[in-house]
Amino acid sequence: MSQSTQQLQPKQHQEQRPGIEAEMSPQPKSQDEQYKGSDKLRNKVALITGGDSGIGRAVAIAYAKEGADVAIVYLNEHEDAKQTQRLVEQEGRKCIAIAGDIGDESFCQQAVQKTVQDLGNAAGSKFCSDCGEKMEITQVPCVKCGAKLREGAKFCSECGTSQEKQKCSNAECGAELSAGSKFCPECGTKTADAD
């Protein structure tokens, strides 16, 4: 069977990027009507970039089915965002749509603040759940490259180095090592992180 006869959907082309899902024919499937959530995300808040269409829309609907309120961030696809908002709200959850460019750091900060203000505190965020005020985020240097990381980060976003403590590879020693250690301080064994 040739590749052209295996194609299930017609090719789609739009001049603008990102594209407008509302203009696609046939419409992409963004939810499984048969799926029933089990409250895994009950009373949680999700902030989803690109939530107006495609995979982002599917995630927003799935999170709503699991009990989360949802904030979606999108660039300028207003009709697509309104449709996602309607679909999330049909699941009985709140949804806010925030238009802007995620390449702009100040916009991202404003989007998080609006999400907290309108929907409450997202799990793991650094905002006070009572007043919504931003809390100070403690930063620590990466053990290898020195990049600034959020305290508790497991890996460095710059160099990929693990920030978690490890055990000495010498079975007789087993001492706990600081992340990035080159040698075990107890027995002198060279670690996997050593150059």
Side-chain angles (χ1 to χ4, degrees), residues 13 26 40 72 79 82 95 116 119 147 151 186:
H13 179 75
K40 292 179 184 134
I72 59 169
E79 287 304 313
K82 286 179 187 173
C95 182
V116 171
L119 300 177
E151 186 175 46
E186 300 292 321

Side-chain angles (χ1 to χ4, degrees), residues 98-120:
I98 307 167
D101 183 357
I102 62 170
D104 176 0
E105 184 177 348
S106 66
F107 165 74
C108 293
Q109 291 170 347
Q110 291 168 4
V112 170
Q113 289 171 349
K114 180 163 180 52
T115 300
V116 171
Q117 178 184 348
D118 292 4
L119 300 177

Side-chain angles (χ1 to χ4, degrees), residues 163-184:
Q163 304 298 301
E164 296 181 313
K165 292 185 177 185
Q166 304 168 14
K167 295 259 185 207
C168 177
S169 59
N170 180 343
E172 293 177 14
C173 177
E176 192 172 270
L177 307 175
S178 296
S181 295
K182 304 278 185 214
F183 295 93
C184 174

Side-chain angles (χ1 to χ4, degrees), residues 23-37:
E23 294 178 6
M24 295 180 76
S25 179
Q27 287 287 295
K29 183 178 177 183
S30 56
Q31 65 179 317
D32 181 354
E33 301 288 342
Q34 306 301 312
Y35 178 75
K36 301 290 181 218

Side-chain angles (χ1 to χ4, degrees), residues 21 27-31 33 51-53 57-58 60-62 64-65 70 72 79-95:
E21 187 168 304
Q27 287 287 295
K29 183 178 177 183
S30 56
Q31 65 179 317
E33 301 288 342
D52 59 297
S53 60
R57 177 182 283 174
I61 295 166
K65 286 184 178 201
V70 178
I72 59 169
E79 287 304 313
D80 287 346
K82 286 179 187 173
Q83 177 62 13
T84 299
Q85 194 169 15
R86 280 190 291 270
L87 293 168
V88 167
E89 290 170 350
Q90 282 177 5
E91 298 300 328
R93 302 310 303 175
K94 296 177 191 170
C95 182

